[in-house]
Amino acid sequence: MEKTDEWMGVVEGATVAPAAAPAVRRTPPRSFGAALAITAGATALLLLAGTQWLNQPAVQAWRTVCLAITVQALPFLLLGTVLSGAINAFVPADLFTRALPKRPAFAVPVAGAAGVVLPGCECASVPVAHSLIRRGVTPAAAFAFLLSAPAVNPVVLTATAVAFPDHPAMVVARLAASLVTAATMGWLWLWLGKEKWLRPVLRHRHTGHQRGRSRWNEFRLGFQHDFLHAGGFLVLGAMAAATFNITVPRSVLDTFTGSPWLSVPFLAALAVVLAVCSEADAFVAASLTGFPPIARLAFLVVGPMVDLKLIALQAGTFGRAFAWRFSTATTGVAVVASVVIGGALL
């Protein structure tokens, strides 16, 4: 009887005391971007293998274009994720909300003009805009910054001036059309945008650094998550752009050079699928000598704001419901701005 009471006491103590409960191993959820990155790595290993059919000229060209786009954009994606992690870990939560005007309608053009200070491409602007929204910045202002940063920063404008030495008006036209497009899209989001189009995690404000936690550890975890998540979608977009480059014959391009009405939408669509980094797209546009200046301006304005890898990055960061609506509207606004401003300046 005593042994029974003793045994029941042990069982009762095990039930009540948390320390006696069996430990449950929790596995952290894997990011979908990490899965994409692993898949991309496996694909790269396959492409580098000595399989005979991979040595075909078309496959080699596809591999070259895909790797070129990825390698070209990867440093700027790295820059953007570093900035994103630094903002989350080291910047006070209310800094950006205090720096921008209180009224969202005024904050949009200010945020668009602030894109001048970030010397990066669209791959860098997506994670930074994500961090701004999590820190309490109105999404309209963050989206205006997302669009303007890769299009009007000093590196891009300098590259445009070098690529068009005999047409300095192209630099002014690109700057004006890009700022107008960014501000217009920010205002359109204020008017028509809905929070349900964004990922649920973006609807809750992030308070930044938590007391008692290591800032460097927060920076490391945030950088790791953003880089793996965005990197997978970057590779996915690069693969889609490479596929277009290889499958569309050169003769198709020549049919649009003689029509001013077709050349503008065609070069705008070409900018979307080529996915050229904004630091290099001016030289691509300068090589399209058969097209009118307005069409080449549309190429320069649309490309940094809407391309396949950027759409993939936006879908992975903000959600697919947002990405396809925002990309479609941005393309239309950018084409109209290019035609109006290009017609006046070029």
Side-chain angles (χ1 to χ4, degrees):
M1 186 69 179
E2 293 179 358
K3 292 183 179 180
T4 305
D5 294 339
E6 181 181 356
W7 178 82
M8 292 182 64
V10 173
V11 174
E12 183 179 359
T15 305
V16 175
V24 179
R25 184 179 179 182
R26 296 183 180 181
T27 303
R30 295 185 177 181
S31 169
F32 178 62
L36 282 177
I38 295 173
T39 304
T43 304
L45 291 176
L46 178 62
L47 294 178
L48 294 176
T51 309
Q52 184 176 2
W53 70 270
L54 293 176
N55 296 324
Q56 297 296 326
V59 179
Q60 290 181 344
W62 182 91
R63 181 173 56 194
T64 301
V65 174
C66 182
L67 291 177
I69 293 176
T70 303
V71 172
Q72 185 182 45
L74 198 58
F76 299 103
L77 177 62
L78 180 64
L79 171 64
T81 50
V82 168
L83 289 175
S84 174
I87 289 173
N88 283 326
F90 301 108
V91 176
D94 60 344
L95 174 64
F96 300 102
T97 55
R98 288 188 286 108
L100 291 173
K102 299 299 182 182
R103 290 190 177 185
F106 296 150
V108 166
V110 174
V116 176
V117 302
L118 179 63
C121 71
E122 57 271 22
C123 300
S125 63
V126 171
V128 174
H130 170 266
S131 291
L132 292 178
I133 296 176
R134 295 294 306 276
R135 304 306 292 271
V137 174
T138 176
F143 296 149
F145 174 83
L146 182 151
L147 295 178
S148 67
V152 300
N153 68 73
V155 177
V156 170
L157 296 180
T158 302
T160 305
V162 173
F164 293 90
D166 299 328
H167 299 85
M170 183 66 75
V171 180
V172 180
R174 181 176 193 176
L175 173 63
S178 298
L179 288 177
V180 168
T181 302
T184 301
M185 286 304 303
W187 287 324
L188 282 177
W189 179 263
L190 286 177
W191 180 30
L192 300 174
K194 299 179 180 178
E195 287 191 359
K196 66 179 182 180
W197 295 341
L198 299 174
R199 284 181 177 272
V201 69
L202 290 174
R203 302 173 197 167
H204 304 282
R205 181 171 177 173
H206 177 62
T207 57
H209 173 67
Q210 302 294 326
R211 291 184 177 181
R213 297 182 181 179
S214 170
R215 291 182 182 271
W216 286 105
N217 189 50
E218 288 184 354
F219 168 77
R220 179 183 62 82
L221 293 176
F223 164 76
Q224 178 180 342
H225 174 271
D226 289 345
F227 184 77
L228 289 177
H229 191 73
F233 286 98
L234 168 63
V235 174
L236 186 65
M239 294 172 66
T243 302
F244 174 85
N245 277 272
I246 301 306
T247 56
V248 176
R250 181 65 58 178
S251 58
V252 175
L253 303 178
D254 298 332
T255 59
F256 291 90
T257 57
S259 174
W261 295 102
L262 295 178
S263 60
V264 171
F266 177 75
L267 281 193
L270 188 65
V272 174
V273 296
L274 285 183
V276 182
C277 187
S278 59
E279 271 75 13
D281 61 356
F283 300 97
V284 177
S287 67
L288 302 173
T289 55
F291 291 90
I294 295 180
R296 288 190 280 178
L297 176 63
F299 180 89
L300 294 175
V301 176
V302 173
M305 299 183 178
V306 186
D307 62 37
L308 289 180
K309 68 176 185 296
L310 180 57
I311 294 173
L313 285 170
Q314 289 181 358
T317 304
F318 302 112
R320 288 178 294 178
F322 166 84
W324 77 266
R325 290 180 173 90
F326 193 75
S327 299
T328 303
T330 301
T331 303
V333 173
V335 169
V336 173
S338 301
V339 171
V340 174
I341 295 178
L345 298 179
L346 301 178

